[in-house]
């Protein structure tokens, strides 16, 4: 997925995953264990750190779809 969902509730993480999105849990890792990644808060979060959490691929890129 090309999108990241920032979520602080387990039900929101489940919805994000069901939609095929990358779920970044914000808060208690034990409550958000299904998230792709969990951070305690967004203090000091940068685009570079988000990329590292998500993996090496760019967060946003344009794709050409076959016509």
């Amino acid at each position: 997925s090309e999108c990241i969902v920032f979520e602080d509730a387990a039900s929101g993480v489940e919805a994000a995953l069901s939609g095929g999105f990358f779920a970044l849990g914000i808060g208690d890792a034990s409550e958000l264990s299904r998230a792709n990644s969990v951070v305690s808060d967004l203090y000091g979060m940068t685009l570079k750190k988000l990329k590292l959490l998500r993996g090496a691929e760019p967060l946003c890129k344009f794709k050409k779809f076959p016509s």
Side-chain angles (χ1 to χ4, degrees), residues 1-5 13 15-24 36:
S1 172
E2 300 295 321
C3 298
I4 296 178
V5 174
V13 168
L17 295 174
S18 293
F21 299 105
F22 182 93
L24 177 61
N36 298 104

Side-chain angles (χ1 to χ4, degrees), residues 28-65:
D28 186 348
S30 65
E31 294 178 17
L32 304 170
S33 61
R34 293 261 303 129
N36 298 104
S37 190
V38 179
V39 295
S40 59
D41 58 50
L42 292 177
Y43 181 78
M45 184 58 65
T46 64
L47 182 58
K48 183 176 181 177
K49 289 178 183 178
L50 284 173
K51 287 179 180 180
L52 290 172
L53 287 172
R54 189 175 177 276
E57 294 181 32
L59 288 175
C60 299
K61 59 185 175 184
F62 295 98
K63 292 184 179 179
K64 291 187 177 182
F65 293 96

